[in-house]
Amino acid sequence: MGLDLTTRTEKLLTWLGMWGAMRGPVPLASAIAVSIALLELLTPPAIRFFPAVPVNFIHVFAVGIGVLLGLVGYFAGDSWDLLFETLYGPKGKWVGRTDRSFLMFGPGEPLNRHRSLAVQALPRKPDSDDDIYREAVKIAKRQVERWDGIEHPLVLSRFFRALLWPFLFAAFLAFCGAVIFPLVGAAAEAPRLLAIFAGCLVLMLACLVPYSRRRMEHMVRLYRDVAAHAPRKKADRH
């Protein structure tokens, strides 16, 4: 039986000696590095449009904004989890789908099915739908070895999540530039900015899809584990 994508990725990162870093500084460092690179892509039009401004100042400004954007992208990444819940939560729009949404995002029915089984197995019924995940995590974390396997997809999803805001913000800046520059006599910069805008959107989508898939895989593993290791609740009744 072939290994799933998360396991293959984990083995590759372990072989490279990077899996431990994925739990630590790599997502934050990647978000900052990507943000700086994206802002640097936008500096040539700014340099040509503001010839009186020292080039070094523009580059330093781009690096500073890139660092800030990377920090925001990492620490505000939880906002993408709210979008995930809107689509795949207990009352999500895609929760009952058995096919892929937009041919890219995973079906919600398997996740919903495992979540329902986990709810039946929880020793304490959650007060609300939002508490289901938290209660399941509390139970799963009691067994460190099992939790380690459950957490792996979550670690990968957080890496992709950290890059979403930087790509989106850079796309926004590029689009604004493509609209504004022609209005002030710099129409020649518009094609480059539009290309950056399109590229950032494509890269953001390229991160959004694996983010959602890995987060869904994490939750399926979590709920499956809770449902499979809940017989003790029945034993307590005898």
Side-chain angles (χ1 to χ4, degrees):
M1 182 177 178
L3 299 176
D4 60 79
L5 180 60
T6 298
T7 303
R8 293 200 301 269
T9 304
E10 178 196 353
K11 287 184 176 296
L12 175 61
L13 291 173
T14 301
W15 181 72
L16 294 173
M18 293 180 59
W19 180 253
M22 287 292 291
R23 298 173 180 266
V26 166
L28 176 58
S30 299
I32 293 175
V34 168
S35 299
I36 293 175
L38 293 174
L39 267 294
E40 282 293 329
L41 282 177
L42 297 173
T43 55
I47 292 172
R48 287 189 288 269
F49 187 70
F50 300 105
V53 179
V55 173
N56 289 339
F57 176 82
I58 294 179
H59 283 297
V60 170
F61 182 78
V63 170
I65 296 298
V67 171
L68 179 61
L69 176 59
L71 292 172
V72 171
Y74 179 81
F75 290 106
D78 289 351
S79 56
W80 293 100
D81 294 345
L82 297 178
L83 174 62
F84 182 91
E85 285 299 306
T86 300
L87 299 175
Y88 291 107
K91 299 179 181 178
K93 296 180 180 179
W94 294 349
V95 72
R97 297 198 60 150
T98 57
D99 58 338
R100 293 185 181 275
S101 300
F102 299 105
L103 303 178
M104 294 180 293
F105 299 96
E109 190 277 332
L111 172 59
N112 191 48
R113 174 162 37 86
H114 287 292
R115 180 165 45 216
S116 298
L117 293 174
V119 169
Q120 298 174 17
L122 288 174
R124 187 176 72 85
K125 297 303 178 184
D127 296 329
S128 65
D129 292 338
D130 295 335
D131 293 333
I132 297 174
Y133 177 77
R134 285 191 288 269
E135 289 296 326
V137 168
K138 289 179 183 178
I139 294 176
K141 280 187 173 181
R142 294 172 184 170
Q143 298 295 328
V144 178
E145 292 184 0
R146 294 207 307 268
W147 172 250
D148 193 53
I150 294 170
E151 188 187 27
H152 286 172
L154 181 63
V155 172
L156 295 176
S157 75
R158 287 173 175 169
F159 170 78
F160 291 111
R161 185 185 70 180
L163 304 178
L164 293 174
W165 278 121
F167 282 129
L168 183 60
F169 187 68
F172 173 75
L173 290 180
F175 180 78
C176 290
V179 172
I180 295 173
F181 274 36
L183 299 178
V184 293
E189 304 294 347
R192 173 188 174 90
L193 291 169
L194 286 175
I196 295 175
F197 165 71
C200 288
L201 285 185
V202 170
L203 290 172
M204 189 193 79
L205 184 63
C207 290
L208 183 61
V209 172
Y211 154 71
S212 65
R213 289 183 179 178
R214 298 288 76 79
R215 183 167 180 80
M216 185 185 302
E217 181 184 354
H218 156 69
M219 297 179 82
V220 167
R221 289 188 183 189
L222 171 65
Y223 294 138
R224 183 189 296 147
D225 181 85
V226 170
H229 296 88
R232 67 182 72 177
K233 185 185 75 168
K234 293 183 179 179
D236 292 341
R237 295 181 177 179
H238 293 290

